[in-house]
Amino acid sequence: AVPALDALVKGMVASGQADVMARQFGFISDEVISANFIAERYGMAGYGPQVSRQMTDAVLRMTGLNRWTNTMRFAARLQISAHLDRLRTTKFDDLGTMKLVMQRYGISARDWEAVRTMPAWTPPGQAGVTLFRPLDIMNSKLIDRDRLYQKFFGLIDQESKYMVPTATHEASVIGRGTTRPDTIAGAVLHSFSMYKNYPLTIMMNYGRLAMSGGSMSPLAFIASMTIGMTMVGAAGLQMRE
């Protein structure tokens, strides 16, 4: 997180892109607020006294639940799109860490050269804000636009899931297998694995990421993840207590 923050600050101050980044981040912040507003619960449960309904509604708002996860993943996708847009003037071999990320999704130098020269997308009513939008690839005249769209959309979608993890069916199968919840064995497994999907997803996603090869060795990657998550978990535990 520290190198990423350092790169972000240096990029805003020293790269000459401060104005571009400020407009993009402002747009993303507005979109996150709008997403939260759209997801607001205007109607409460139809049962129980008014006070209990208000308390239930307040608890659901504070916990966030799926609403918080979906909103943050939405913001992560916009951030990646904005980052790709700022890299349009950079050649493939000069992308640094982002080159390794693209190679994970099968994106080659030829692929990047084909899409980086495309016109940037500007959201309606947001003059000066530009984003890299995979949908524009489908609207282009590129011969292999289907393949390119799948690669770049896959990058944005999967990287957002790394940034904001979500439970997967794959982890669910590992925890529950093919057992039915209406059998004794299935009831036991489903009960045991109810809250195990998320940690299994974390281990599988980041385990694959560690073994995929990059700027860090697998052991260094896993060690940094473990230490970081342990520190955040300890801080959260102290706050709850």
Side-chain angles (χ1 to χ4, degrees), residues 118 133-142 144-150:
M118 294 173 51
R133 194 174 65 157
L135 184 61
D136 294 330
I137 299 175
M138 294 298 294
N139 296 328
S140 70
K141 296 182 179 180
L142 294 172
D144 54 349
R145 54 182 177 273
D146 290 343
R147 181 181 61 86
L148 291 173
Y149 169 79
Q150 292 174 6

Side-chain angles (χ1 to χ4, degrees), residues 6-203:
D6 179 65
L8 178 63
V9 174
K10 287 181 179 179
M12 293 187 68
V13 175
S15 68
Q17 292 188 328
D19 186 52
V20 174
M21 296 176 74
R23 287 197 299 266
Q24 288 176 335
F25 291 165
F27 169 72
I28 293 173
S29 297
D30 289 342
E31 289 296 297
V32 169
I33 293 172
S34 298
N36 270 287
F37 181 76
I38 293 172
E40 184 60 79
R41 299 175 71 249
Y42 292 104
M44 292 179 285
Y47 303 97
Q50 182 73 11
V51 175
S52 64
R53 284 187 287 172
Q54 289 180 346
M55 291 178 62
T56 302
D57 206 54
V59 170
L60 286 173
R61 285 196 182 108
M62 287 187 292
T63 56
L65 298 177
N66 288 338
R67 171 182 175 181
W68 173 258
T69 302
N70 293 336
T71 302
M72 290 300 99
R73 188 173 298 115
F74 172 66
R77 288 170 180 166
L78 288 177
Q79 289 174 351
I80 299 171
S81 297
H83 183 57
L84 289 173
D85 179 73
R86 295 193 300 272
L87 293 175
R88 287 179 185 273
T89 57
T90 307
K91 294 184 178 181
F92 189 75
D93 291 333
D94 299 329
L95 289 173
T97 305
M98 199 62 191
K99 175 183 176 180
L100 301 176
V101 175
M102 289 187 180
Q103 288 175 334
R104 266 205 316 267
Y105 298 92
I107 298 173
S108 64
R110 181 178 178 181
D111 296 334
W112 177 239
E113 289 300 320
V115 302
R116 76 184 184 98
T117 55
M118 294 173 51
W121 177 70
T122 298
Q126 299 289 335
V129 178
T130 54
L131 296 173
F132 178 90
R133 194 174 65 157
L135 184 61
D136 294 330
I137 299 175
M138 294 298 294
N139 296 328
S140 70
K141 296 182 179 180
L142 294 172
I143 298 176
D144 54 349
R145 54 182 177 273
D146 290 343
R147 181 181 61 86
L148 291 173
Y149 169 79
Q150 292 174 6
K151 287 183 178 181
F152 282 95
F153 178 81
L155 183 154
I156 294 175
D157 182 62
Q158 184 57 47
E159 289 299 313
S160 69
K161 291 178 180 177
Y162 285 142
M163 297 167 72
V164 186
T166 184
T168 63
H169 294 296
E170 185 182 24
S172 178
V173 170
I174 291 175
R176 303 174 183 177
T178 57
T179 59
R180 292 170 55 93
D182 56 352
T183 62
I184 295 178
V188 173
L189 272 178
H190 279 247
S191 176
F192 172 77
S193 64
M194 183 179 298
Y195 299 108
K196 303 298 186 293
N197 193 308
Y198 185 79
L200 280 173
T201 298
I202 292 289
M203 288 188 289

